[in-house]
Amino acid sequence: MENQSMLQKFFSKIGKGVQAYPIPLLLAFLAAINASVEIIRRTSELVPGHTHRLIQLALYMGISFSMMAVIYAKSTKDTKESEKLENGSGILVAVVTYFLLATFGIYQAQIPRVSGLANYTIYAICLLCVVIALYYSSKLEGAGGVAGVFFILQKSFWIALLYGVAVFIGGRFIIIALEGLLGLFIDSRLMEHLAVLSFLIAYIVFVGLLPDFSKSAPPKVRMDAKEQPQILQKLFCFILIPIIGILSVVLLLWMGKILITRQALPFEQLSTVVSAYSLGGIWLYLNVTEQQHLLVKGFRRFFPPLALILLLFEAYALFQQIQLVGIRINEYPLLLIWIFSILSIIGLLFKQEKSYRYLLLFAGVVLVLSFAPVTNYRDLPVNNQISRLRTRLEKAGMLHYDHLSPATEELDWKTRYQITSSIQYLTYQSEIELPVWIDSDLNNPDIFKKTMGFEIVTSPEPIDLSKENIWVELVASPSSFSIADYETAILLSSVEYRNQPVSFEMDGKFYELQWQTKSEEKGSAHRLRILSGEEELLNLDLMGYLDGLSRKYVHESSDIKGEETLLASDLQVPIDTPDFTGFLQLQRVSIARYQGNEEHPKFEYNVVPTTLYLTTK
């Protein structure tokens, strides 16, 4: 009876959620249908792909806006009329969003698709709706302020996710069992439909677990919802706080080492770690606001000033990086996270509920900046890179009246790197209109060198290649050459990775060929042997030939770092013995140079032969 009562309470909550948010749930149901149609469309082509995407994004927008509007209406006006109006607004927003995306959000490539900025904008606005809903619901009595509502939202989300995962895993095993029972192969698309159903169920559970945010609802409803289970309190207090404390010490020691040794700040590593540290710390701070354990009090006291110190280090690293390469897609999110983190940490130093609401304000501002015109994640980096590139090209005398010309004098390494960095960033952006003086083919090394007058520079400082590991892949291009002078062509691809003798016939006699790729005997790898009975007619050791290739292509001044296509004749090993003449054609030679701590570098080879051409003397 007790279990039945708990089940009744659970479904009663879900029913109340359906009554409170009917339009968001209706739109979620339509989104699930649209997702299932898209799964079918891949083979039947019912509608164009981008149309499905437009509908899906519009529905996401309608769901988020409608939920935010309902929470706003409940927590402020709390009338039936306002709830109906706010609920219905989601449909209008979804329709308007669809037409706006169809008009301004399509990127016309070979196949029309929704642009990356349009995709991101919808998701960012959806998250902004969550922030606004948090703000208004946090003012309700019994909600526990921003920290309390933040935990309520998390708890509903994780429980709903657990239900969704359980449905998916259970359904997956049922499908597998049915395949075994019926002896049939069930279309893999059924799993995708199951995933859509699981997400829909998870969303229904999420909505149902939200407490009543009505202004007239008893405060106890929200107080019960924000109550943290003991297991979570122990997780926060005895696991996560010690982890972030140890991390704080390690980061401070790292910063101290950088100051003492005066080494360069490692931008990407430092910024990524400090950004994760600050965001994780703010999240944990909000989750332990009401706990009074000694560890929690110590964390709340020491985290904000420690995070502030580390964020100042990150600010210096960001400043140096932006000075060097400007703002790109790598630097942009770290810059926004830093702005949010520094403002939030300063707010936490005040330790007041009002300062917690400022966190929502800061999050909203950062979200708006990330998709607003001019400041969004695409336009700001692109405009910054174009401006920096124009300035450097004009200073180097390479840009005159929108006409680009090669450098007439040797530019310093840093300038060449900055020009290369900007050009590579801009030419790889698919959804922007480049200035007339930037050719999209400049990402080709040969065109870059011809146009700019210098080669691509990929590192901010010259690399001492004598101390670096180098890998080179030499590949024979498909090309024609005369084989009229040779009696026999022996394909070696079948014995490429075998140290086994292979028989072949030439001029009425039988021979054994062995392509030796490995051996216990030092230096005996990459060896070709031909035997006639017990007599060895050919013992070709390729090590001398391979060392010659490494001297030619793997050295400090070589342009080749990676894969290089050569003429087939460049990878032919000549053969001349008292019995035979001919050559061994190689398809591919991989050369790896490992410097290590040795005085002389170590070379390793991997050789792929294709054909042995021979004629008897």
Side-chain angles (χ1 to χ4, degrees), residues 14-45:
I14 301 299
K16 288 179 181 178
V18 172
Q19 291 176 359
Y21 304 97
I23 299 302
L25 288 168
L26 172 64
L27 294 174
F29 183 70
L30 293 176
I33 293 175
N34 185 56
S36 293
V37 169
E38 165 59 12
I39 294 169
I40 299 169
R41 182 202 65 83
R42 293 174 193 157
T43 53
S44 59
E45 296 293 335

Side-chain angles (χ1 to χ4, degrees), residues 464-531:
D464 184 1
L465 292 175
S466 64
K467 298 181 180 178
E468 293 290 320
N469 298 333
I470 296 178
W471 172 81
V472 170
E473 184 93 354
L474 305 175
V475 182
S477 64
S479 54
S480 61
F481 48 86
S482 176
I483 57 172
D485 296 333
Y486 304 101
E487 300 173 16
T488 303
I490 306 159
L491 296 177
L492 299 179
S493 56
S494 61
V495 293
E496 176 188 340
Y497 297 110
R498 285 191 284 161
N499 294 294
Q500 300 292 329
V502 175
S503 298
F504 70 94
E505 182 183 0
M506 184 172 62
D507 198 21
K509 295 181 180 181
F510 288 92
Y511 302 90
E512 281 191 349
L513 177 146
Q514 182 179 358
W515 172 246
Q516 196 165 359
T517 60
K518 58 183 178 178
S519 175
E520 297 298 326
E521 183 184 344
K522 185 177 179 181
S524 62
H526 312 300
R527 185 184 297 270
L528 184 67
R529 300 176 67 213
I530 296 179
L531 297 92

Side-chain angles (χ1 to χ4, degrees), residues 470-474 553-555 558 560-564 589-593:
I470 296 178
W471 172 81
V472 170
E473 184 93 354
L474 305 175
Y553 295 108
V554 186
H555 52 82
S558 174
I560 302 175
K561 303 293 181 292
E563 185 172 303
E564 180 75 5
V589 176
S590 300
I591 306 173
R593 189 190 74 178

Side-chain angles (χ1 to χ4, degrees), residues 321-331 378-393 417-427 429 432 434-435 437-438:
Q321 181 71 2
I322 291 172
Q323 267 199 326
L324 178 64
V325 296
I327 300 174
R328 302 173 301 182
I329 197 64
N330 293 342
E331 291 77 25
R378 186 188 68 187
D379 294 345
L380 180 62
V382 165
N383 292 333
N384 177 262
Q385 291 299 318
I386 291 174
S387 175
R388 286 172 58 85
L389 180 58
R390 177 182 283 275
T391 300
R392 278 156 181 74
L393 291 174
Y417 170 71
Q418 290 174 326
I419 291 173
T420 301
S421 173
S422 294
I423 286 178
Q424 287 189 326
Y425 181 81
L426 293 169
T427 53
Q429 300 301 307
I432 65 169
L434 293 171
W437 44 273
I438 299 179

Side-chain angles (χ1 to χ4, degrees), residues 33 73 84 87 152 181 196 232 234 266 285 296 331 353 363 372 379 389 403 414 430 470 499 519 546 553 575 582 591:
I33 293 175
K84 289 179 181 178
N87 241 316
I152 289 172
L181 175 66
V196 171
L232 280 183
K234 293 183 185 302
Y285 195 104
V296 174
E331 291 77 25
E353 171 55 30
D379 294 345
L389 180 58
H403 177 71
K414 183 178 178 181
S430 59
I470 296 178
N499 294 294
S519 175
L546 296 173
Y553 295 108
I575 294 173
I591 306 173

